[in-house]
Amino acid sequence: MIALIILVVSAVAALVCALAVGGGAAPLQLADAGPLARWGLPVSKLVVNMSAAGMGGALFVALFTVRVEQRGFELALDVAAVCAAIFTVASAATGFFSFMVIFNPAFNAGPEFGSQLGRYLVQTEGGRVWLMTTIAGAILAVLTFAVRSWGGTATVALLALAALVPMGTQGHSGDEASHQQATTAIVIHLIAAAVWLGGLLLLAIIRSVTSKSEMATVLMRYSTIAVIAFALVAFSGTVRAAIGLETLGALASPYGLILIVKVVALTAIGVLGAIYRLRLLRRMRANPSDAKTFWLLLCAELGLMGMASGAAAALARTPPPILPEPAGALTPAEVLTGAPLPPEWTMSRWFTAWSPDLLWLVAAVLGLIFYVSAVLRLKARGYRWNPWRATAWVAGTLLLVWVTSGALGAYRSYIYSAHVLGIVILLVGVAPLLAAGAPIELARKAAHRREDGSRGGYEWAQVLMHSRGVRFASAPVVAVPATAMLIWLLFSSDLLRWTVGDLLGRQMATAATLVVGSLLVRGLIGGDGSSRRPTQMKLLMVVGLAVAMAVVSVYISTAGLVAADWFGAMGRTWGRAPAEDQDFGGVVLAAGSAIAVVLGGWVVFLSRAR
């Protein structure tokens, strides 16, 4: 209770001070909504952020630190249920106060006010975000009361963290040229901070119901999660700050000063985390009763986290010092994408074009770090990992970065054939290379297995890979039609514009391609009895996939211009005409089908030989 009070008091104090400095709650000269709305909006947003941490972050950390039969696990679910209810109410209040601040309507109980509020929640982007967030919170509040198992809790935790994604689209990032990078940075920042803060809350809450020896083990496990969360928060916060400030001189602005306070608080938290990870946790494991200093530092860390949370809520209401934009009419590409048309795609641009996709860049870096650390751990034990597998994993991650952040990532929203080529490379290049790296087998050999009934990264990976859902989805008779359907949806359906023109659509298309491709490879090369399937059936499925890809390639080469209001209205004067480029995209897909036949046949015969 004392830790919670410290967190709330420090957060509110930091919010009030930051709003006073930045003017986020200052009266407007025109159409002022009143003090209740001006102060209610940042306060409710602060409550949303903190309750999200208790809802999703605490559950996520509990899944990796305690056993399902422990009292601490049940207490984490109870806390998450309460926080989900608070999250729902706070999200609804935030949507209401946003409506009041933006439109300043005459507040009354009449039908006109209700009609205005309804149109805001349904017809505007900001209103829809808070409506979806409120509905998600209400669903999660029910689910957290209903689940008590490993699988149910994991599902709720992932849904709770996913509920933060729409919130990441809000703020000032939509007014900036680097909108997609800023939005992705905010989403990563929100999720990592929620896990970090939620873990701290979990430690403070379950302390009274967990023995000292078990608590020392929980703290060691949480410290690993906290290190990763801290790195993600620091990286995403740096990217977001660089986009918002644009120049170092902007640090002297109210926005910059609030940002400095947040950075100082987070840095201090990192220092405290390093202290108790390097020194105190070892002492606690040796002598569990020697924990007084640690809990004092934990309270200090919660106080600093409250300061950072309050500053973050005020920062969302403080306009960043944006440099004046050049005058002139927007180009068609700027109207459609929010960014200017890139330079002509020459041969050199294949190697020099760079448009970083932070999500997949972070995923690739983390994947490389975990893989290399596992290989080094095996080496320290005297085992030698197959270098060809390591080479395949590194090549797969580097190819993923190039597809999402290199030339294809820079041009896929403007050129249809670039979109097709990117998806094909992910499907027949990245997914097989990552599968050839055998990360699950590496984890099985390198990870420290837990003997106390809790689950770490290895245990969760094993549960996932051997689950009924994965076994069913990786069966060739399921994976091949799913891959064919995905190709159709991404290249020929009404979803095409969403996957090239919307940030969430692009991320979902990339993730779906990698997941479906990985399941397809898993179904062909082995795992859970799949390697014992008849070779003839596997070859038939490979041929069926190639035929499906070829059929789609013929369709897009002969049909009219797909997404004509997007690719045809881009205003591009260099390169192939949109119709010709679409025909070339069909050729690229046909080439991909040929590669799928060659690789699939080789994999099938190789698995049979083994």
Side-chain angles (χ1 to χ4, degrees):
M1 180 61 70
I2 296 178
L4 183 60
I5 293 175
I6 292 174
L7 175 67
V8 173
V9 171
S10 60
V12 173
L15 175 66
V16 173
C17 294
L19 287 175
V21 172
L28 300 177
Q29 294 182 355
L30 296 175
D32 182 65
L36 180 60
R38 285 188 278 107
W39 284 92
L41 180 56
V43 170
S44 61
K45 183 66 182 298
L46 174 63
V47 176
V48 167
N49 293 341
M50 297 180 69
S51 59
M55 175 181 63
L59 283 183
F60 183 85
V61 174
L63 289 169
F64 288 88
T65 55
V66 296
R67 302 188 305 273
V68 69
E69 66 272 9
Q70 281 183 289
R71 172 59 180 156
F73 193 92
E74 183 178 353
L75 192 59
L77 282 168
D78 294 338
V79 171
V82 174
C83 289
I86 297 174
F87 179 83
T88 304
V89 176
S91 299
T94 304
F96 175 78
F97 288 133
S98 299
F99 166 68
M100 296 295 294
V101 169
I102 295 174
F103 293 98
N104 189 29
F107 179 74
N108 56 65
E112 183 177 353
F113 179 83
S115 177
Q116 287 179 312
L117 179 59
R119 286 196 299 271
Y120 168 73
L121 294 175
V122 175
Q123 298 179 5
T124 66
E125 181 181 357
R128 286 194 296 267
V129 164
W130 289 113
L131 178 61
M132 290 188 297
T133 304
T134 303
I135 294 174
I139 295 174
L140 289 168
V142 175
L143 292 178
T144 47
F145 278 108
V147 301
R148 284 298 182 270
S149 63
W150 281 117
T153 305
T155 302
V156 173
L158 293 177
L159 291 176
L161 295 178
L164 305 182
V165 174
M167 293 168 50
T169 63
Q170 299 299 291
H172 300 287
S173 61
D175 301 327
E176 299 159 355
S178 302
H179 165 68
Q180 294 188 352
Q181 289 86 349
T183 301
T184 305
I186 292 175
V187 171
I188 295 175
H189 197 79
L190 285 174
I191 294 177
V195 171
W196 192 4
L197 176 57
L200 287 175
L201 290 174
L202 177 69
L203 297 180
I205 291 171
I206 69 174
R207 178 190 177 189
S208 60
V209 296
T210 307
S211 65
K212 292 182 179 180
S213 59
E214 290 182 332
M215 197 68 209
T217 303
V218 170
L219 292 173
M220 286 293 295
R221 293 168 178 171
Y222 167 72
S223 67
T224 302
I225 299 175
V227 168
I228 300 174
F230 173 75
L232 292 177
V233 168
F235 172 74
S236 58
T238 301
V239 172
R240 180 63 185 92
I243 294 174
L245 292 177
E246 297 188 352
T247 62
L248 289 178
L251 287 172
S253 65
Y255 184 93
L257 294 176
I258 298 174
L259 183 63
I260 290 174
V261 172
K262 181 181 176 182
V263 170
V264 170
L266 292 177
T267 303
I269 296 174
V271 172
L272 291 179
I275 292 174
Y276 70 67
R277 179 175 175 83
L278 296 176
R279 298 180 57 185
L280 297 181
L281 289 182
R282 294 178 182 177
R283 288 166 49 187
M284 286 183 63
R285 297 200 72 175
N287 184 13
S289 61
D290 187 14
K292 182 178 180 180
T293 304
F294 172 82
W295 292 111
L296 290 176
L297 286 179
L298 180 68
C299 290
E301 193 170 352
L302 282 172
L304 291 170
M305 185 65 80
M307 290 177 56
S309 301
L315 209 60
R317 294 293 304 156
T318 306
I322 301 297
L323 296 177
E325 298 181 357
L330 296 177
T331 64
E334 289 174 329
V335 173
L336 291 173
T337 67
L341 190 70
E344 182 178 357
W345 196 358
T346 60
M347 182 60 66
S348 62
R349 295 286 296 172
W350 281 90
F351 307 99
T352 60
W354 180 251
S355 178
D357 188 323
L358 296 182
L359 176 62
W360 298 107
L361 189 61
V362 168
V365 171
L366 291 178
L368 283 174
I369 291 175
F370 285 125
Y371 197 94
V372 172
S373 62
V375 171
L376 294 177
R377 184 180 298 172
L378 274 183
K379 184 178 179 180
R381 297 178 186 172
Y383 293 95
R384 182 175 179 269
W385 182 248
N386 190 329
W388 288 108
R389 288 183 173 181
T391 301
W393 180 267
V394 173
T397 53
L398 293 180
L399 188 58
L400 173 62
V401 171
W402 182 75
V403 170
T404 55
S405 299
L408 296 179
Y411 286 92
R412 68 180 292 185
S413 293
Y414 306 91
I415 301 178
Y416 179 83
S417 60
H419 170 66
V420 175
L421 182 58
I423 296 298
V424 169
I425 292 177
L426 289 174
L427 187 63
V428 302
V430 176
L433 283 173
L434 295 179
I440 300 301
E441 183 178 352
L442 175 62
R444 181 177 62 83
K445 292 182 177 181
H448 295 291
R449 301 186 186 184
R450 298 186 180 180
E451 305 295 340
D452 61 350
S454 64
R455 292 182 179 180
Y458 167 76
E459 286 78 14
W460 278 111
Q462 288 294 97
V463 169
L464 177 63
M465 298 306 296
H466 294 283
S467 64
R468 293 181 179 178
V470 171
R471 289 202 303 268
F472 173 78
S474 62
V477 70
V478 176
V480 172
T483 306
M485 178 61 67
L486 179 67
I487 292 172
W488 170 265
L489 292 175
L490 295 182
F491 296 156
S492 309
S493 72
D494 294 336
L495 288 177
L496 172 62
R497 176 164 179 173
W498 181 60
T499 58
V500 296
D502 185 83
L503 175 61
L504 181 60
R506 290 182 59 174
Q507 307 294 12
M508 292 296 292
T510 302
T513 303
L514 291 175
V515 170
V516 171
S518 299
L519 291 173
L520 179 63
V521 174
R522 175 179 170 79
L524 292 175
I525 66 176
D528 299 326
S530 62
S531 59
R532 296 189 294 271
R533 295 188 181 102
T535 301
Q536 294 83 352
M537 186 185 73
K538 290 184 178 182
L539 288 177
L540 181 62
M541 294 301 173
V542 170
V543 174
L545 174 62
V547 170
M549 295 174 66
V551 169
V552 177
S553 70
V554 172
Y555 173 80
I556 63 179
S557 298
T558 57
L561 186 60
V562 182
D565 58 342
W566 182 266
F567 293 108
M570 196 63 64
R572 181 169 51 85
T573 57
W574 46 262
R576 301 180 185 88
E580 296 177 357
D581 181 69
Q582 182 173 313
D583 294 340
F584 182 69
V587 175
V588 171
L589 184 57
S593 67
I595 295 174
V597 169
V598 174
L599 289 179
W602 178 72
V603 167
V604 169
F605 283 109
L606 183 62
S607 63
R608 180 185 181 185
R610 289 179 177 176

